[in-house]
Amino acid sequence: MIRKTVSVKNRKGLHMRPAEQLVRTASRFKSEVTLVKDDIPVNGKSILGVMMLAAEHGSSITVEIDGPDETDALKAISDMFDQDQEP
């Protein structure tokens, strides 16, 4: 298992559009993706789970990935957070 803490840079927070983009990216990989905010873990491949985080601008989220393609998955997901996340 690998993990990385990322920050929500989108000024509107992790709202529906970037959350959907995150779920779509996470679902491309075989590895399990878990997002943790305020000690609450959610499935990173579930839109309901990601929306439950209610992650506002500046929030810290720990991304935990476990599986055969975990390195590629972590890179793809952390790259999303490094960008503004606005299409």
Side-chain angles (χ1 to χ4, degrees):
M1 176 192 300
I2 57 176
R3 67 179 59 147
K4 180 178 181 179
T5 300
V6 296
S7 176
V8 177
K9 295 182 178 178
N10 186 315
R11 59 184 158 78
K12 295 179 182 174
L14 194 55
H15 61 85
M16 187 60 141
R17 190 176 325 148
E20 187 269 336
Q21 210 171 12
L22 173 62
V23 168
R24 195 173 333 142
T25 299
S27 296
R28 291 188 346 228
F29 299 95
K30 293 180 181 175
S31 298
E32 291 184 29
V33 177
T34 303
L35 306 176
V36 183
K37 178 179 174 271
D38 300 330
D39 296 324
I40 299 173
V42 300
N43 181 351
K45 295 181 179 181
S46 163
I47 190 70
L48 290 176
V50 174
M51 293 304 295
M52 277 181 38
L53 294 175
E56 66 275 359
H57 174 78
S59 297
S60 291
I61 297 174
T62 301
V63 181
E64 298 177 344
I65 303 180
D66 189 21
D69 51 2
E70 60 191 20
T71 303
D72 292 335
L74 182 61
K75 180 177 181 344
I77 292 170
S78 64
D79 283 351
M80 286 188 60
F81 280 95
D82 288 341
Q83 300 169 1
D84 187 32
Q85 299 179 355
E86 285 288 339

Coordinates of all heavy atoms in Angstrom, one line a residue:
M1 N 0.8 -1.2 0.0 CA 0.0 0.0 0.0 C 0.9 1.2 0.0 O 1.9 1.3 0.7 CB -0.9 0.0 1.2 CG -1.7 1.3 1.3 SD -2.6 1.6 2.8 CE -3.7 0.2 3.0
I2 N 0.5 2.2 -0.8 CA 1.2 3.5 -0.8 C 0.2 4.6 -0.5 O -1.0 4.4 -0.8 CB 1.9 3.7 -2.2 CG1 0.9 3.7 -3.3 CG2 3.0 2.7 -2.4 CD1 1.6 4.1 -4.7
R3 N 0.7 5.7 0.0 CA -0.3 6.8 0.3 C 0.4 8.1 0.1 O 1.7 8.2 0.2 CB -0.8 6.6 1.7 CG 0.2 6.8 2.8 CD -0.4 6.7 4.2 NE -1.1 5.4 4.3 CZ -1.1 4.7 5.4 NH1 -0.7 5.1 6.5 NH2 -1.7 3.5 5.4
K4 N -0.4 9.1 -0.1 CA 0.1 10.5 -0.2 C -1.0 11.4 0.2 O -2.2 11.2 0.0 CB 0.4 10.7 -1.7 CG 1.0 12.1 -2.0 CD 1.3 12.2 -3.5 CE 1.9 13.6 -3.8 NZ 2.3 13.8 -5.2
T5 N -0.6 12.5 0.9 CA -1.5 13.5 1.3 C -1.5 14.6 0.2 O -0.5 15.1 -0.2 CB -1.1 14.1 2.7 OG1 -1.2 13.0 3.6 CG2 -2.1 15.2 3.1
V6 N -2.7 15.0 -0.2 CA -2.9 16.0 -1.2 C -3.8 17.1 -0.7 O -4.5 16.9 0.3 CB -3.5 15.4 -2.5 CG1 -2.6 14.4 -3.2 CG2 -4.8 14.8 -2.3
S7 N -3.7 18.2 -1.4 CA -4.6 19.4 -1.0 C -5.5 19.7 -2.1 O -5.2 19.6 -3.3 CB -3.6 20.5 -0.7 OG -4.4 21.7 -0.4
V8 N -6.7 20.1 -1.7 CA -7.8 20.5 -2.7 C -7.5 21.9 -3.1 O -7.6 22.8 -2.3 CB -9.2 20.4 -2.1 CG1 -10.2 20.9 -3.1 CG2 -9.5 18.9 -1.7
K9 N -7.1 22.1 -4.3 CA -6.7 23.5 -4.8 C -7.8 24.2 -5.5 O -7.8 25.4 -5.7 CB -5.5 23.3 -5.8 CG -4.3 22.8 -5.1 CD -3.1 22.8 -6.0 CE -1.9 22.3 -5.2 NZ -0.7 22.2 -6.1
N10 N -8.9 23.5 -5.9 CA -10.0 24.1 -6.5 C -10.7 25.0 -5.5 O -11.0 24.6 -4.4 CB -11.0 23.0 -7.0 CG -12.1 23.5 -7.8 OD1 -12.7 24.6 -7.5 ND2 -12.4 22.9 -8.9
R11 N -10.9 26.3 -5.9 CA -11.5 27.3 -5.0 C -12.9 26.9 -4.6 O -13.4 27.4 -3.6 CB -11.3 28.7 -5.5 CG -12.0 28.9 -6.9 CD -11.7 30.3 -7.4 NE -11.9 30.4 -8.8 CZ -13.1 30.5 -9.4 NH1 -14.1 30.5 -8.7 NH2 -13.1 30.6 -10.7
K12 N -13.6 26.1 -5.4 CA -14.9 25.7 -5.1 C -15.0 24.4 -4.3 O -16.0 23.9 -4.0 CB -15.8 25.5 -6.3 CG -16.0 26.9 -7.0 CD -16.8 26.6 -8.3 CE -16.9 28.0 -9.1 NZ -17.6 27.8 -10.4
G13 N -13.8 23.8 -4.0 CA -13.7 22.6 -3.3 C -13.9 21.4 -4.2 O -13.9 21.5 -5.5
L14 N -14.0 20.2 -3.7 CA -14.2 19.0 -4.5 C -15.7 18.8 -4.7 O -16.3 17.9 -4.2 CB -13.6 17.8 -3.7 CG -13.4 16.5 -4.4 CD1 -12.5 16.7 -5.7 CD2 -12.7 15.5 -3.5
H15 N -16.2 19.6 -5.6 CA -17.7 19.5 -5.9 C -17.9 18.5 -7.0 O -17.0 17.7 -7.3 CB -18.2 20.9 -6.4 CG -17.5 21.5 -7.6 ND1 -17.9 21.1 -8.9 CD2 -16.5 22.3 -7.8 CE1 -17.2 21.7 -9.8 NE2 -16.3 22.5 -9.1
M16 N -19.1 18.4 -7.5 CA -19.6 17.2 -8.3 C -18.6 17.0 -9.5 O -18.3 15.9 -9.8 CB -21.0 17.5 -8.8 CG -21.6 16.3 -9.5 SD -21.6 14.9 -8.4 CE -23.1 14.2 -8.9
R17 N -18.3 18.0 -10.3 CA -17.5 17.8 -11.5 C -16.1 17.2 -11.2 O -15.8 16.2 -11.8 CB -17.4 19.1 -12.3 CG -16.9 18.9 -13.7 CD -16.8 20.1 -14.6 NE -18.0 21.0 -14.3 CZ -17.9 22.3 -14.4 NH1 -16.9 22.9 -14.8 NH2 -19.0 23.0 -14.2
P18 N -15.3 17.8 -10.3 CA -14.0 17.2 -10.1 C -14.1 15.9 -9.3 O -13.3 15.0 -9.5 CB -13.3 18.3 -9.2 CG -14.3 19.2 -8.8 CD -15.4 19.2 -9.7
A19 N -15.2 15.7 -8.5 CA -15.4 14.4 -7.9 C -15.6 13.3 -8.9 O -15.1 12.2 -8.8 CB -16.5 14.5 -6.9
E20 N -16.5 13.6 -9.9 CA -16.8 12.7 -10.9 C -15.5 12.3 -11.7 O -15.3 11.2 -12.1 CB -17.9 13.2 -11.8 CG -18.4 12.2 -12.8 CD -17.7 12.3 -14.2 OE1 -17.1 13.3 -14.5 OE2 -17.7 11.3 -14.9
Q21 N -14.7 13.4 -12.0 CA -13.4 13.2 -12.7 C -12.5 12.3 -11.9 O -11.8 11.4 -12.4 CB -12.8 14.5 -12.9 CG -12.0 14.7 -14.1 CD -11.5 16.1 -14.3 OE1 -11.7 17.0 -13.5 NE2 -11.0 16.4 -15.5
L22 N -12.5 12.5 -10.6 CA -11.6 11.7 -9.7 C -12.1 10.2 -9.7 O -11.2 9.3 -9.8 CB -11.7 12.3 -8.3 CG -11.0 11.5 -7.2 CD1 -9.5 11.4 -7.4 CD2 -11.2 12.1 -5.8
V23 N -13.4 10.0 -9.6 CA -13.9 8.6 -9.6 C -13.6 8.0 -10.9 O -13.2 6.8 -10.9 CB -15.4 8.7 -9.3 CG1 -16.0 7.3 -9.6 CG2 -15.7 9.1 -7.8
R24 N -13.8 8.7 -12.0 CA -13.5 8.1 -13.3 C -12.0 7.7 -13.4 O -11.7 6.6 -13.9 CB -13.9 9.1 -14.4 CG -14.0 8.4 -15.7 CD -14.5 9.2 -16.9 NE -15.4 10.3 -16.5 CZ -15.4 11.5 -17.0 NH1 -14.6 11.8 -18.0 NH2 -16.3 12.4 -16.6
T25 N -11.1 8.6 -12.9 CA -9.7 8.3 -13.0 C -9.4 7.1 -12.1 O -8.7 6.2 -12.5 CB -8.9 9.5 -12.5 OG1 -9.2 10.6 -13.4 CG2 -7.4 9.2 -12.5
A26 N -9.9 7.1 -10.9 CA -9.6 5.9 -10.0 C -10.1 4.6 -10.5 O -9.5 3.6 -10.3 CB -10.2 6.2 -8.6
S27 N -11.3 4.7 -11.2 CA -11.9 3.4 -11.7 C -11.1 2.8 -12.9 O -11.4 1.7 -13.2 CB -13.3 3.7 -12.1 OG -14.1 4.1 -11.0
R28 N -10.2 3.6 -13.5 CA -9.4 3.0 -14.6 C -8.4 2.0 -14.1 O -7.8 1.2 -14.8 CB -8.6 4.1 -15.3 CG -9.5 5.1 -16.1 CD -8.6 6.0 -16.9 NE -7.2 6.1 -16.6 CZ -6.6 7.3 -16.4 NH1 -7.2 8.4 -16.5 NH2 -5.3 7.2 -16.2
F29 N -8.1 1.9 -12.8 CA -7.1 1.1 -12.2 C -7.7 -0.1 -11.4 O -8.8 0.0 -10.9 CB -6.2 1.9 -11.3 CG -5.5 3.0 -12.0 CD1 -6.0 4.3 -12.1 CD2 -4.3 2.8 -12.8 CE1 -5.4 5.3 -12.8 CE2 -3.7 3.8 -13.5 CZ -4.2 5.1 -13.5
K30 N -6.9 -1.2 -11.4 CA -7.4 -2.3 -10.6 C -7.3 -2.2 -9.1 O -7.9 -2.9 -8.3 CB -6.6 -3.6 -11.1 CG -6.9 -4.0 -12.5 CD -6.1 -5.2 -12.9 CE -6.4 -5.5 -14.4 NZ -5.5 -6.6 -14.9
S31 N -6.4 -1.3 -8.7 CA -6.1 -1.2 -7.3 C -7.3 -0.6 -6.5 O -8.1 0.1 -7.1 CB -4.9 -0.2 -7.1 OG -3.7 -0.8 -7.7
E32 N -7.3 -0.9 -5.2 CA -8.3 -0.2 -4.4 C -7.8 1.2 -4.0 O -6.7 1.4 -3.7 CB -8.5 -1.0 -3.1 CG -9.1 -2.4 -3.2 CD -9.3 -3.1 -1.9 OE1 -9.5 -2.4 -0.9 OE2 -9.3 -4.3 -1.9
V33 N -8.8 2.1 -4.1 CA -8.4 3.5 -3.8 C -9.3 4.0 -2.7 O -10.5 3.9 -2.7 CB -8.7 4.4 -5.1 CG1 -8.4 5.9 -4.8 CG2 -7.9 3.9 -6.3
T34 N -8.6 4.4 -1.6 CA -9.3 5.0 -0.5 C -8.9 6.4 -0.2 O -7.7 6.7 -0.3 CB -9.0 4.1 0.8 OG1 -9.3 2.7 0.5 CG2 -9.8 4.6 2.0
L35 N -9.9 7.3 0.0 CA -9.6 8.6 0.4 C -9.9 8.8 1.8 O -11.0 8.4 2.3 CB -10.4 9.6 -0.5 CG -10.3 9.4 -2.0 CD1 -11.2 10.3 -2.8 CD2 -8.9 9.6 -2.5
V36 N -9.1 9.5 2.6 CA -9.3 9.7 4.0 C -9.2 11.2 4.3 O -8.3 11.9 4.0 CB -8.3 9.0 4.8 CG1 -8.6 9.2 6.3 CG2 -8.2 7.5 4.5
K37 N -10.3 11.7 4.9 CA -10.4 13.1 5.4 C -10.9 13.1 6.8 O -12.0 12.5 7.0 CB -11.2 14.0 4.4 CG -11.3 15.4 4.8 CD -12.1 16.2 3.9 CE -12.4 17.6 4.4 NZ -13.5 17.7 5.2
D38 N -10.3 13.8 7.7 CA -10.7 13.9 9.1 C -11.0 12.5 9.6 O -12.0 12.2 10.3 CB -12.0 14.7 9.2 CG -11.8 16.1 8.7 OD1 -10.6 16.6 8.8 OD2 -12.7 16.7 8.2
D39 N -10.1 11.5 9.3 CA -10.1 10.1 9.8 C -11.3 9.4 9.3 O -11.7 8.3 9.8 CB -10.1 10.1 11.4 CG -8.8 10.6 11.9 OD1 -7.7 10.4 11.3 OD2 -8.8 11.2 13.0
I40 N -12.0 9.9 8.3 CA -13.1 9.2 7.6 C -12.7 8.6 6.3 O -12.4 9.4 5.4 CB -14.3 10.1 7.5 CG1 -14.8 10.6 8.8 CG2 -15.5 9.4 6.7 CD1 -15.8 11.7 8.7
P41 N -12.6 7.3 6.2 CA -12.2 6.7 4.9 C -13.4 6.5 4.0 O -14.5 6.1 4.5 CB -11.6 5.3 5.3 CG -12.3 5.0 6.5 CD -12.6 6.3 7.2
V42 N -13.2 6.7 2.7 CA -14.3 6.4 1.7 C -13.7 5.8 0.5 O -12.5 5.9 0.2 CB -15.0 7.7 1.3 CG1 -15.7 8.4 2.5 CG2 -14.1 8.7 0.5
N43 N -14.5 5.1 -0.2 CA -14.1 4.4 -1.5 C -13.9 5.5 -2.5 O -14.8 6.2 -2.9 CB -15.2 3.4 -1.9 CG -14.8 2.7 -3.2 OD1 -13.8 3.0 -3.8 ND2 -15.6 1.7 -3.5
G44 N -12.6 5.5 -3.1 CA -12.3 6.5 -4.1 C -12.9 6.3 -5.4 O -12.8 7.1 -6.3
K45 N -13.6 5.1 -5.6 CA -14.3 4.8 -6.8 C -15.8 5.0 -6.7 O -16.5 4.6 -7.6 CB -13.9 3.3 -7.2 CG -12.4 3.1 -7.5 CD -12.1 1.7 -8.0 CE -10.7 1.5 -8.3 NZ -10.3 0.2 -8.7
S46 N -16.2 5.6 -5.6 CA -17.7 5.8 -5.4 C -17.9 7.3 -5.4 O -17.4 8.0 -4.6 CB -18.1 5.1 -4.1 OG -19.3 5.7 -3.7
I47 N -18.8 7.8 -6.3 CA -19.1 9.2 -6.3 C -19.8 9.6 -5.0 O -19.5 10.7 -4.5 CB -20.0 9.5 -7.5 CG1 -20.1 11.1 -7.7 CG2 -21.3 8.9 -7.5 CD1 -18.9 11.8 -8.1
L48 N -20.6 8.7 -4.4 CA -21.2 9.1 -3.1 C -20.2 9.2 -2.0 O -20.3 10.1 -1.2 CB -22.3 8.0 -2.8 CG -23.6 8.1 -3.6 CD1 -24.5 6.9 -3.2 CD2 -24.3 9.4 -3.5
G49 N -19.2 8.3 -2.1 CA -18.2 8.3 -1.1 C -17.4 9.6 -1.2 O -17.1 10.3 -0.2
V50 N -17.0 9.9 -2.4 CA -16.1 11.1 -2.6 C -16.9 12.4 -2.2 O -16.4 13.3 -1.5 CB -15.6 11.2 -4.0 CG1 -14.9 12.5 -4.3 CG2 -14.7 10.0 -4.4
M51 N -18.2 12.4 -2.5 CA -19.0 13.6 -2.2 C -19.2 13.7 -0.7 O -19.4 14.8 -0.1 CB -20.4 13.5 -2.9 CG -20.3 13.7 -4.4 SD -19.4 15.2 -5.0 CE -20.5 16.5 -4.4
M52 N -19.2 12.6 0.0 CA -19.4 12.6 1.5 C -18.2 13.3 2.2 O -18.4 13.7 3.3 CB -19.5 11.1 2.0 CG -20.9 10.6 1.9 SD -21.0 8.9 2.6 CE -20.0 9.0 4.1
L53 N -17.1 13.3 1.5 CA -16.0 14.0 2.1 C -16.2 15.5 2.4 O -15.6 16.1 3.3 CB -14.7 13.8 1.3 CG -14.2 12.4 1.2 CD1 -13.0 12.4 0.2 CD2 -13.7 11.9 2.5
A54 N -17.1 16.1 1.5 CA -17.4 17.5 1.6 C -16.0 18.3 1.7 O -15.9 19.2 2.6 CB -18.3 17.8 2.8
A55 N -15.1 18.0 0.8 CA -13.8 18.6 0.9 C -13.8 20.0 0.3 O -14.0 20.2 -0.9 CB -12.8 17.7 0.1
E56 N -13.6 21.0 1.1 CA -13.6 22.4 0.7 C -12.2 22.8 0.2 O -11.2 22.0 0.5 CB -14.1 23.3 1.7 CG -13.2 23.4 3.0 CD -13.5 22.3 4.0 OE1 -14.4 21.4 3.8 OE2 -12.8 22.2 5.0
H57 N -12.0 24.0 -0.3 CA -10.7 24.5 -0.8 C -9.8 24.4 0.4 O -10.1 24.9 1.5 CB -10.9 25.9 -1.3 CG -9.6 26.6 -1.6 ND1 -8.9 26.3 -2.8 CD2 -8.9 27.5 -0.9 CE1 -7.8 27.1 -2.8 NE2 -7.8 27.8 -1.7
G58 N -8.6 23.9 0.1 CA -7.5 23.8 1.2 C -7.6 22.6 2.0 O -6.7 22.4 2.9
S59 N -8.6 21.8 1.9 CA -8.6 20.5 2.7 C -7.5 19.6 2.3 O -7.0 19.5 1.2 CB -9.9 19.8 2.3 OG -11.1 20.5 2.7
S60 N -7.0 18.8 3.3 CA -6.0 17.8 3.1 C -6.7 16.5 3.0 O -7.6 16.1 3.9 CB -5.0 17.8 4.2 OG -4.2 18.9 4.2
I61 N -6.4 15.7 2.0 CA -7.0 14.3 1.8 C -5.8 13.4 1.7 O -4.9 13.6 0.9 CB -7.9 14.3 0.6 CG1 -9.1 15.2 0.8 CG2 -8.3 12.9 0.3 CD1 -9.9 15.4 -0.5
T62 N -5.9 12.3 2.4 CA -4.9 11.2 2.2 C -5.4 10.2 1.2 O -6.5 9.7 1.4 CB -4.5 10.5 3.6 OG1 -4.0 11.5 4.5 CG2 -3.5 9.5 3.4
V63 N -4.6 10.0 0.2 CA -5.0 9.0 -0.8 C -4.2 7.7 -0.5 O -3.0 7.7 -0.5 CB -4.6 9.5 -2.3 CG1 -5.0 8.5 -3.3 CG2 -5.3 10.8 -2.5
E64 N -4.9 6.6 -0.3 CA -4.3 5.3 0.0 C -4.7 4.4 -1.2 O -5.8 4.2 -1.5 CB -4.8 4.7 1.3 CG -4.5 5.6 2.5 CD -5.1 5.0 3.8 OE1 -5.9 4.2 3.7 OE2 -4.6 5.5 4.8
I65 N -3.7 3.8 -1.8 CA -3.9 2.9 -2.9 C -3.2 1.6 -2.7 O -2.0 1.5 -2.3 CB -3.4 3.5 -4.2 CG1 -4.1 4.9 -4.4 CG2 -3.6 2.6 -5.4 CD1 -3.8 5.6 -5.6
D66 N -3.9 0.5 -2.9 CA -3.4 -0.9 -2.7 C -3.7 -1.7 -3.9 O -4.9 -1.9 -4.2 CB -3.9 -1.4 -1.4 CG -3.3 -2.7 -1.0 OD1 -2.1 -3.0 -1.4 OD2 -3.9 -3.5 -0.2
G67 N -2.7 -2.3 -4.5 CA -3.0 -3.1 -5.7 C -1.9 -3.2 -6.7 O -0.8 -2.6 -6.5
P68 N -2.1 -3.9 -7.7 CA -1.0 -4.2 -8.7 C -0.6 -3.0 -9.5 O 0.6 -2.9 -9.9 CB -1.6 -5.2 -9.7 CG -3.1 -5.1 -9.5 CD -3.3 -4.6 -8.1
D69 N -1.4 -1.9 -9.6 CA -1.0 -0.8 -10.4 C -1.1 0.5 -9.5 O -1.4 1.6 -10.0 CB -1.9 -0.6 -11.6 CG -3.4 -0.7 -11.3 OD1 -3.8 -0.8 -10.1 OD2 -4.2 -0.6 -12.2
E70 N -0.8 0.3 -8.3 CA -0.9 1.4 -7.3 C 0.0 2.6 -7.6 O -0.4 3.7 -7.4 CB -0.6 0.9 -5.9 CG 0.8 0.3 -5.7 CD 1.0 -0.4 -4.3 OE1 0.0 -0.8 -3.7 OE2 2.1 -0.5 -3.9
T71 N 1.2 2.4 -8.1 CA 2.1 3.5 -8.4 C 1.5 4.4 -9.5 O 1.4 5.6 -9.4 CB 3.5 3.0 -8.9 OG1 4.0 2.2 -7.8 CG2 4.4 4.2 -9.1
D72 N 1.0 3.8 -10.6 CA 0.4 4.5 -11.7 C -0.9 5.2 -11.2 O -1.2 6.4 -11.6 CB 0.1 3.6 -12.9 CG 1.3 3.1 -13.6 OD1 2.4 3.8 -13.4 OD2 1.3 2.0 -14.2
A73 N -1.7 4.6 -10.4 CA -2.9 5.1 -9.9 C -2.6 6.4 -9.0 O -3.3 7.4 -9.2 CB -3.7 4.1 -9.1
L74 N -1.7 6.2 -8.2 CA -1.3 7.4 -7.3 C -0.8 8.6 -8.1 O -1.2 9.7 -7.8 CB -0.3 7.0 -6.2 CG 0.1 8.1 -5.2 CD1 -1.2 8.5 -4.4 CD2 1.2 7.6 -4.3
K75 N -0.1 8.3 -9.1 CA 0.4 9.4 -9.9 C -0.7 10.1 -10.7 O -0.8 11.3 -10.7 CB 1.5 8.9 -11.0 CG 2.0 10.0 -11.9 CD 3.0 9.6 -12.8 CE 3.6 10.7 -13.7 NZ 2.9 11.9 -13.8
A76 N -1.6 9.3 -11.2 CA -2.8 9.9 -11.9 C -3.6 10.7 -11.0 O -4.1 11.8 -11.4 CB -3.6 8.8 -12.6
I77 N -3.9 10.2 -9.8 CA -4.8 10.9 -8.9 C -4.1 12.1 -8.3 O -4.7 13.2 -8.2 CB -5.3 9.9 -7.8 CG1 -6.2 8.9 -8.5 CG2 -6.0 10.7 -6.7 CD1 -6.6 7.8 -7.6
S78 N -2.9 12.0 -7.9 CA -2.2 13.2 -7.3 C -2.0 14.3 -8.4 O -2.0 15.4 -8.1 CB -0.9 12.8 -6.6 OG 0.0 12.3 -7.6
D79 N -1.8 13.9 -9.7 CA -1.7 14.9 -10.7 C -3.0 15.7 -10.8 O -2.9 16.9 -11.1 CB -1.4 14.2 -12.1 CG 0.1 13.8 -12.2 OD1 0.9 14.1 -11.3 OD2 0.4 13.1 -13.2
M80 N -4.1 15.0 -10.6 CA -5.4 15.7 -10.7 C -5.4 16.8 -9.6 O -5.9 17.9 -9.8 CB -6.5 14.8 -10.5 CG -6.9 13.9 -11.6 SD -8.4 13.0 -11.3 CE -9.5 14.3 -11.1
F81 N -5.0 16.4 -8.4 CA -5.0 17.4 -7.3 C -4.0 18.5 -7.5 O -4.2 19.6 -7.0 CB -4.8 16.7 -5.9 CG -6.0 16.0 -5.4 CD1 -6.2 14.7 -5.7 CD2 -7.0 16.7 -4.7 CE1 -7.4 14.0 -5.2 CE2 -8.1 16.1 -4.2 CZ -8.3 14.7 -4.5
D82 N -2.9 18.2 -8.2 CA -1.9 19.2 -8.4 C -2.4 20.3 -9.4 O -1.9 21.4 -9.4 CB -0.6 18.6 -9.0 CG 0.1 17.9 -7.9 OD1 -0.1 18.1 -6.7 OD2 1.0 17.0 -8.2
Q83 N -3.4 19.9 -10.2 CA -4.0 20.8 -11.2 C -5.1 21.6 -10.5 O -5.5 21.2 -9.4 CB -4.5 20.1 -12.4 CG -3.4 19.3 -13.1 CD -4.0 18.4 -14.2 OE1 -5.2 18.4 -14.4 NE2 -3.2 17.7 -14.9
D84 N -5.7 22.5 -11.1 CA -6.8 23.3 -10.6 C -8.1 22.5 -10.5 O -9.0 22.8 -9.8 CB -7.0 24.6 -11.4 CG -8.0 25.5 -10.8 OD1 -8.1 25.5 -9.5 OD2 -8.7 26.2 -11.5
Q85 N -8.2 21.4 -11.3 CA -9.4 20.5 -11.3 C -10.6 21.2 -12.0 O -11.6 20.6 -11.9 CB -9.7 20.0 -9.9 CG -8.7 19.2 -9.3 CD -9.1 18.7 -7.9 OE1 -10.1 19.0 -7.4 NE2 -8.2 17.9 -7.3
E86 N -10.4 22.3 -12.6 CA -11.5 22.9 -13.3 C -11.3 22.6 -14.8 O -10.2 22.9 -15.3 CB -11.6 24.4 -13.1 CG -12.1 24.8 -11.8 CD -13.6 24.6 -11.7 OE1 -14.3 24.5 -12.7 OE2 -14.0 24.6 -10.5
P87 N -12.2 22.0 -15.5 CA -12.0 21.7 -16.9 C -12.0 23.0 -17.7 O -12.5 24.0 -17.3 CB -13.2 20.9 -17.3 CG -14.2 21.0 -16.2 CD -13.5 21.5 -15.0

